[in-house]
Amino acid sequence: MPSDRSPQDKKRQREEEFGHLLRQEHSLNAGFLHGLKGQIVEIQARAVEVLPTPRSWPNAVVITGMERGDAQQALLRINAALTKYGMSKSPVIIQVHCTPAMMSKYGSWLDLPLAIILLQCAGYLPDLPPTVEGDYVLVGELGLHGEVRRVPGILAIAEATRPEQTLIVPTGNERECALIAASPGRQHGRIAAVSMLDEVIEFFQGKRTFDNVLNQLISLEPFGRKPIDFGRIKGQEQAKEAALLCAAGGHNLLFIGPPGEGKSLLANAIAGILPRLTVEEQIELTRIYSAAGQLERDGQIVTQRPFRAVHHTISKQALVGGGTLKLQPGEVTLAHLGILFLDELPEFRRDTLEALRQPLESGQITISRTHAAFTFPCRFTLVAAMNPCPCGYAGTERCTCSPTAVAKYQKRLSGPLLDRIDLVVELQPLTLEERFSETTDGQTELLRQKVEAARARQTARFQGTAIGCNAAIPAGRILDYCRFSPAGLEHYKQRVAQANISTRLTDRLARVARTIADLDNSDSIEPPHVDRAATFVLDQRLNFAPAAETESPA
């Protein structure tokens, strides 16, 4: 039967029924990831117009302060989830603003808080009193069936909350959040985990309470592969010594040798003899790996020094980080506090290698975009490997390369990058006896103890400065920190004069000699320390340099 009420009467009735919604103000705190940092943002919303007929959420909501495409996708997910609970339409037009507007917001972190504040604006949920609105921070992606899904970077978001706030996160993120309890003053925070949207709806209706995850016993799972033991690597004693110096002093290292003689194995093993990560370093790396989406399961914590093996086909963006909107950390940041391994070094694009100059110099990488600039940490030790020629067997009867081909191959190396490599060592083919020698486990632990003792001496030496290890001693402070005995200084001058090397190489020789002295538990650098350092800094570098500097015919 047709209604006898006019459209004006219907409009008046709906305004009487829903007009009070236009007078309400709504605010919620939400968390999202901005680069590698967690950000707490305020979501403001209000109903601005009563609709003559209810509309679906994507057609009734306008969101500002968030990337348009991400906002539309979020509304589609919210619409599907709310339809499940019989709340598929809004009686009012809703304006939502995510502050601050100048900060670009993207991704699915804001799904859950957006859904709750839309329900408040539409009258499905009561509004929180202004005195408690700031007590909660909501984070989570919504699935189409109402499930609250795990998001990356939750540790950084948890660290950004205030201790008195309750952080509501997806189930599957709560164990990672529990790491904030290791921070001073955060032992009494509150973390609540939810699996479905209706749990949060019932909480805001006053029908449910949440347990504090931090009051529970949380088990954490180590993340990261254990490196191969040095005792499993046969022969190559000189290369092993170079690896020890690399770990003890933070010196960048280049392995040169034929294929199949252990270059990659040695590089991987170096990560195992680096000093153990402190709790603060473990949390820092876990924050990075979580933000990059590298953690496979909840509750994983990075306990091993990273080892990132990079293929020569990698793009510059993948190496140093980047992206159009959501900037992702690159391999240099994933190698932070660990080893970045570049195999087949001459095969890398020159512009890709040139991009390593800033990270190697400053220990951080800054990526600028029109909407923001992000600075990511990347204090890594560079280990590279290469064949001496295209076939890999230069200097032996097996080599099939012409001298011109060898020179052209070695000229591919970036000069500025080579200037930042302290140690060069050539690997030789294993002898028959070495190939069939016995292997033993436990060598890595013994070498790590030596490295930690040497690093402890460096920590005491550089106390109160920004210098982290011997490799980072500034050029103008070499003799301040590299103390020679009288005999050691005289011998050092003689080696420099005989080799006729540059000032930069002279400084590098002193830094490596200082590391060798630290491994010998010696306060001063003695002549034998200089000679051992010259083995890796001068001797093999000079043998290698002429081939790299030979001009190839046009």
Side-chain angles (χ1 to χ4, degrees), residues 53-347:
T53 56
R55 296 181 188 175
S56 63
W57 297 101
N59 294 318
V61 178
V62 177
I63 300 179
T64 59
M66 185 176 180
E67 293 296 327
R68 181 178 301 177
D70 293 83
Q72 289 300 316
Q73 291 186 26
L75 287 175
L76 291 173
R77 291 191 294 268
I78 291 169
N79 186 71
L82 293 182
T83 299
K84 174 181 179 178
Y85 301 112
M87 297 177 281
S88 60
K89 295 185 177 182
S90 171
V92 292
I93 291 179
I94 301 171
Q95 175 72 54
V96 180
H97 181 55
C98 303
T99 63
M102 68 184 73
M103 182 183 295
S104 180
K105 302 164 201 72
Y106 47 80
S108 58
W109 291 276
L110 305 184
D111 284 8
L112 180 59
L114 283 173
I116 295 302
I117 205 166
L118 293 182
L119 291 177
Q120 291 176 332
C121 288
Y124 289 107
L125 284 179
D127 190 24
L128 289 176
T131 55
V132 299
E133 278 182 343
D135 292 346
Y136 300 95
V137 177
L138 286 77
V139 184
E141 175 185 324
L142 286 183
L144 302 185
H145 308 305
E147 68 273 23
V148 184
R149 304 175 70 88
R150 183 169 174 250
V151 293
I154 197 65
L155 176 57
I157 296 171
E159 290 176 330
T161 61
R162 299 194 306 270
E164 67 273 14
Q165 289 178 316
T166 296
L167 177 61
I168 300 176
V169 301
T171 298
N173 275 140
E174 73 276 9
R175 292 167 64 194
E176 183 180 320
C177 287
L179 286 172
I180 65 170
S183 303
R186 302 307 301 266
Q187 292 82 358
H188 304 294
R190 289 185 56 83
I191 304 292
V194 294
S195 301
M196 298 295 294
L197 175 58
D198 61 339
E199 298 174 30
V200 188
I201 292 174
E202 290 177 2
F203 174 76
F204 278 83
Q205 289 173 335
K207 300 178 180 178
R208 175 190 288 267
T209 59
F210 291 135
D211 295 329
N212 185 6
V213 172
L214 297 184
N215 292 337
Q216 304 170 10
L217 182 62
I218 300 293
S219 60
L220 299 174
E221 175 187 349
F223 175 83
R225 295 181 179 179
K226 186 177 180 181
I228 187 173
D229 194 282
F230 262 89
R232 289 285 170 181
I233 303 175
K234 299 181 179 181
Q236 307 298 356
E237 296 306 318
Q238 189 178 55
K240 289 178 180 178
E241 183 180 0
L244 177 62
L245 293 175
C246 169
H251 302 287
N252 299 323
L253 168 63
L254 173 61
F255 290 123
I256 306 172
E261 298 299 340
K263 299 189 295 293
S264 298
L265 276 180
L266 281 164
N268 178 272
I270 293 174
I273 63 174
L274 290 172
R276 288 182 176 86
L277 291 169
T278 65
V279 173
E280 293 78 12
E281 289 172 336
Q282 290 180 15
I283 293 175
E284 181 182 13
L285 285 172
T286 301
R287 185 190 309 117
I288 292 172
Y289 274 68
S290 173
Q294 296 284 317
L295 300 182
E296 301 166 355
R297 294 178 296 279
D298 186 30
Q300 290 186 316
I301 179 172
V302 179
T303 56
Q304 299 281 350
R305 296 271 177 180
F307 174 79
R308 304 294 299 187
V310 178
H311 194 263
H312 61 80
T313 58
I314 192 171
S315 67
K316 183 169 72 171
Q317 178 175 301
L319 181 63
V320 300
T324 54
L325 179 62
K326 181 187 176 185
L327 295 189
Q328 281 283 90
E331 289 293 337
V332 296
T333 298
L334 296 176
H336 181 56
L337 302 179
I339 300 295
L340 179 69
F341 178 52
L342 306 184
D343 200 4
E344 303 292 348
L345 187 63
E347 302 294 339

Side-chain angles (χ1 to χ4, degrees), residues 409-442:
Y409 181 76
Q410 294 181 353
K411 278 178 67 67
R412 294 180 187 175
L413 296 179
S414 165
L417 181 64
L418 286 177
D419 281 341
R420 288 160 177 80
I421 293 178
D422 292 344
L423 309 170
V424 178
V425 62
E426 293 188 51
L427 281 71
Q428 302 299 327
L430 296 181
T431 64
L432 185 64
E433 182 179 350
E434 288 173 333
R435 291 181 185 180
F436 291 95
S437 61
E438 294 290 334
T439 58
T440 56
D441 289 324

